[in-house]
Amino acid sequence: MIEIDGSQGEGGGQVLRTALTLSMITGQPFRISNIRANRSKPGLMRQHLASVKAAAEISGAKVEGDALGSTSLSFAPGAIKAGVYEFQIGTAGSSTLVLQTVVPALLYAPGESVVRVSGGTHNSKAPPAEFLQRAYGRAMADMGAQVEFHLERTGFYPAGGGAVRATVKPLAAWRHLALDARGERREAYAESLVAAVPGGVAKRELDCVASAMGWSGDQLRFKTLPDNWGPGNALLITLDHEHVTEVFVAFGEKARRAEEVARDAVAQARRFIASGAAVSEHLADQLLVPMALAGSGSFTMDILSQHTRTNAEVIARFLPVSITFDKREASTLAKIAS
């Protein structure tokens, strides 16, 4: 039984999600205490409980402590089973984070699986569905994983109501991936998503992006969603390069000006561009687990966050790998070796 202190490092939900993923794959049971101790509302919230329930169903696990607000949990997995799965968060909690918990494990199932998660797809505490499709999905494919993500319906905070579906085929073998440089840029564009929000909001956001980035025409995309999917607004900036795709997002909120939303998204993109790194801090978080499972890999990132450091520490509890971070002038090099 691996003992994990959920308050270690960044002390958020990623500690639990990474432990669930690697416990299913390695067959090692774990017990975690002080779950999300560093958050204003400690313990399991609905999206974390959904990850636990999903992992338990997929692996036939024995679980104790799987209740809302619980600050401790034990998880003993069985064999990973292929199948068609449906999980409901019941709030605007992140569907994408639940998928990132179970998708790597389903690569080890004996057959193809389809998993659908309903809840939030676009909220400020998690990567949007487009990040899974374009950034994470592409990197996983480059490592040999056959995973397809499909956004069925957008779900904004606080209403939720969205759904994302993943189709996962069994993994033949991991491929080594070195993302030390992003390569030449192939495409760059911004999308403003609005549901039950005046169209003028999207226009102002895109005008700001056009001015700040020097973009025009098809690089500025306005997407009107059905009113009953809202209210909600998200501004996405996608940078597609030879070796990697990145997605940056900022969200509209009540009393937050469109120009402020645009400045937020542009600042993230500019920081990444200026760093010269291959990936952003958020994609860096998600690359650690598959690269550790592959036994090797490397990437440069624009920011080394406490979130990433903590994730590396949890991974080392389950897998015999070394994860090192080498700070450079404008970026950090991460290396994973067995």
Side-chain angles (χ1 to χ4, degrees), residues 51 59 127 129 144 156 190 211 230 243 272 276 304 307:
S51 291
S59 66
F156 294 101
S211 176
H243 304 304
F272 170 69
L304 173 57
H307 202 275

Side-chain angles (χ1 to χ4, degrees), residues 242-260:
E242 182 182 357
H243 304 304
V244 68
T245 302
E246 271 292 1
V247 178
F248 304 96
V249 62
F251 293 93
E253 299 171 356
K254 191 174 182 179
R256 190 183 194 197
R257 290 175 55 80
E259 291 78 10
E260 184 182 345

Side-chain angles (χ1 to χ4, degrees), residues 22 311-321 323:
L22 296 180
N311 205 18
E313 292 170 4
V314 176
I315 290 168
R317 301 293 304 277
F318 288 88
L319 297 173
V321 296
I323 302 175

